[in-house]
Amino acid sequence: MDREVRKIKQGLSLKFSELVYNGFWHSPECEFVRECIGRSQEPVVGTVRLSIFKGQVYILGRESPRSLYNEELVSMNVQGDYEPADATGFININSLRLKEYHRLQSKVTVKQDE
C-alpha cells in the first residue's frame, strides 16, 4: 500500500476494533469498514517472516513482488526529475496551512488580551 492508503486503513482499523469490541459486528457501519479494509488488501501479496516469543511478535523480514519501495528513487544521487532544491518548494507549500493557522491564532490571542 502507499502511504496515504495505509494511513486511512490504520484509522479504519481503529474504528473496526471499536465496533467489534462494542458488539456491532453485524451493523452496517462495521460491514462498510470491513469492505474498505478488504479492498485495501486486494493488491497486497508477499511473505512475512515472524518470530513469536513470550507473547511478542517480531517481524524478521518481508518481501513482495509488488513492493512500492524502489531503492533507486529514494537516493538523492540518482539522476532524474527531482533536485534537492525541490524540497524547499515542497516545504514552503506544506507550511502554508501552518503559517495561516498561527497567524489566525495570534489574532485570537490579541483579541482575548484586549
Side-chain angles (χ1 to χ4, degrees):
M1 289 184 280
D2 78 348
R3 177 178 51 191
E4 296 304 316
V5 173
R6 191 174 65 244
K7 280 187 211 175
I8 293 169
K9 188 218 166 232
Q10 287 172 337
L12 288 173
S13 296
L14 292 173
K15 184 62 177 176
F16 177 72
S17 299
E18 176 187 317
L19 290 167
V20 172
Y21 181 80
N22 290 321
F24 290 103
W25 179 264
H26 296 289
S27 67
E29 61 271 28
C30 194
E31 181 180 327
F32 175 79
V33 171
R34 283 194 310 271
E35 288 291 323
C36 289
I37 291 172
R39 175 75 195 277
S40 75
Q41 299 304 293
E42 287 175 1
V44 177
V45 295
T47 303
V48 178
R49 291 186 328 259
L50 305 172
S51 171
I52 302 172
F53 182 71
K54 292 187 178 183
Q56 298 292 318
V57 177
Y58 303 96
I59 298 173
L60 302 177
R62 57 187 150 225
E63 59 185 59
S64 172
R66 295 186 185 170
S67 175
L68 295 177
Y69 180 78
N70 183 337
E71 192 172 333
E72 292 177 13
L73 295 177
V74 297
S75 172
M76 294 285 259
N77 296 325
V78 174
Q79 296 295 326
D81 295 334
Y82 180 80
E83 296 291 330
D86 294 339
T88 303
F90 179 78
I91 291 167
N92 288 334
I93 289 170
N94 283 294
S95 69
L96 285 176
R97 69 179 184 89
L98 300 174
K99 289 176 183 175
E100 183 65 7
Y101 171 78
H102 287 288
R103 185 184 70 78
L104 293 173
Q105 286 298 103
S106 66
K107 281 185 175 183
V108 170
T109 304
V110 169
K111 285 184 180 181
Q112 288 177 351
D113 292 343
E114 294 177 352

